Amino acid sequence: QVQLVESGGGSVQPGGSLRLTCVLSGGFSLDYYAIGWFRQAPGTEREGVAVIRSRDGSSNYLYSVEGRFTISADRAENTVHLDMNNLKPEDTAVYRCAARWAGYQLTLAPKVYDYWGGGARVTVSS
């Protein structure tokens, strides 16, 4: 069973930075999975923020975070990071990482991801 655990959430002021970390375990390697970060604020639908496929380095971002967020993979540690800079109040949400087999087309659509972490809360407020 694929397991994902997030860490690194917290509260920051607008313009601040946070790093989220997602660790993949259960005997499964990043070589076989694409990992996405998704967020959901109260009263809104879950949306894909960034996704990475480490076997070829390809990635994709939600347009509103491009240039501010960076997704990266550490294959040796079976870990994916989401570096979030210049955070805005509208980035406030619960962030979850999710895994999907790497052979599929890279996508930010949440419904096609098979394995999910429990979530990390990010609050951006002055």
Side-chain angles (χ1 to χ4, degrees), residues 32-86:
Y32 300 102
Y33 289 91
I35 303 297
W37 282 98
F38 302 85
R39 67 186 181 187
Q40 188 169 20
T44 69
E45 293 195 357
R46 185 176 298 165
E47 63 178 356
V49 174
V51 59
I52 190 168
R53 180 167 51 212
S54 61
R55 67 162 65 167
D56 62 7
S58 56
S59 61
N60 197 10
Y61 293 89
L62 179 69
Y63 72 94
S64 62
V65 307
E66 206 147 13
R68 300 189 296 122
F69 290 13
T70 302
I71 190 169
S72 60
D74 184 336
R75 296 168 75 180
E77 297 293 327
N78 236 21
T79 296
V80 171
H81 300 289
L82 183 68
D83 290 296
M84 306 183 293
N85 298 308
N86 191 20

Side-chain angles (χ1 to χ4, degrees), residues 20-40:
L20 298 179
T21 297
C22 175
V23 179
L24 178 69
S25 62
F28 295 88
S29 169
L30 274 183
D31 289 344
Y32 300 102
Y33 289 91
I35 303 297
W37 282 98
F38 302 85
R39 67 186 181 187
Q40 188 169 20

Side-chain angles (χ1 to χ4, degrees), residues 101-117:
W101 183 56
Y104 294 126
Q105 183 178 3
L106 218 56
T107 178
L108 290 173
K111 64 178 67 178
V112 301
Y113 282 76
D114 301 304
Y115 307 100
W116 290 83

